[in-house]
Amino acid sequence: MMKSKKRHWLWNLLIVMTLLLCVLVFVEHYKNWHKIEEGHLKIYSGIYYQNIPLAELDSVFLVEKLPEMERSSGFSWMEREKGVFNDSITNTKVYVFVDDLYQQKIKLVHHDSLKMYVNLRDSLKTAELFAILRTELLNKTETEKEVQ
């Protein structure tokens, strides 16, 4: 009869903790999390985070495709594209938070030249976010005209 070796409890704990960490990382990167509060658009997906003051928006567009860019850091997985990219034409950083490459994306330009592309898994929620950002930009433009 063979004796079965028991594994030390520390190894079992380490395995469970590793699996929990992997699940947590997956959930954090699985979708884009966004919030508009106190005049800021906050968007994050895992380790990638942007906090943009709505007063600093310069333009908001809907685009069909992402331009060709070089990835500085980030990842692609199925129809997702997330990370920091370099625009080789303007030599600027571009933040990408795209949950579905096949849907329209919101192109944000803020602080004169910083770009960000974002969309959400649900195209209706993307359209809703676009409408909110567009309204904020129009309000900013009207306020600037009144001041002049």
Side-chain angles (χ1 to χ4, degrees):
M1 200 149 122
M2 291 185 75
K3 258 185 161 178
S4 65
K5 277 190 168 182
K6 281 193 128 196
R7 216 181 319 187
H8 194 272
W9 65 270
L10 185 61
W11 289 115
N12 289 336
L13 180 65
L14 187 61
I15 290 169
V16 169
M17 295 299 287
T18 302
L19 289 173
L20 285 174
L21 181 65
C22 289
V23 167
L24 179 65
V25 168
F26 175 76
V27 168
E28 283 291 310
H29 285 87
Y30 180 70
K31 71 177 203 166
N32 293 326
W33 307 87
H34 74 285
K35 189 182 337 181
I36 296 177
E37 65 180 14
E38 299 173 8
H40 288 240
L41 168 64
K42 298 175 182 180
I43 186 157
Y44 68 95
S45 182
I47 62 171
Y48 300 103
Y49 175 78
Q50 285 287 287
N51 183 2
I52 301 169
L54 295 175
E56 295 296 329
L57 287 179
D58 295 318
S59 63
V60 179
F61 301 104
L62 279 177
V63 296
E64 292 295 324
K65 291 177 141 184
L66 292 175
E68 288 197 29
M69 299 177 284
E70 293 179 28
R71 183 186 344 261
S72 175
S73 68
F75 66 94
S76 300
W77 174 58
M78 296 173 62
E79 65 273 353
R80 287 176 176 78
E81 190 83 47
K82 307 211 178 176
V84 180
F85 291 73
N86 288 322
D87 185 343
S88 52
I89 295 171
T90 60
N91 200 25
T92 57
K93 277 186 185 179
V94 179
Y95 291 88
V96 177
F97 296 90
V98 174
D99 275 343
D100 191 343
L101 280 171
Y102 304 113
Q103 294 181 27
Q104 287 186 317
K105 296 124 198 86
I106 300 170
K107 176 185 176 183
L108 282 170
V109 179
H110 59 96
H111 293 93
D112 292 330
S113 63
L114 297 174
K115 293 180 204 157
M116 182 173 77
Y117 292 91
V118 62
N119 79 358
L120 308 170
R121 193 91 181 115
D122 183 349
S123 61
L124 295 175
K125 291 196 186 278
T126 300
E128 185 181 309
L129 178 60
F130 175 73
I132 292 168
L133 294 172
R134 193 76 173 163
T135 302
E136 288 290 335
L137 182 62
L138 290 173
N139 289 343
K140 174 192 162 202
T141 307
E142 288 175 7
T143 304
E144 287 174 355
K145 284 181 182 176
E146 289 174 4
V147 170
Q148 294 175 357

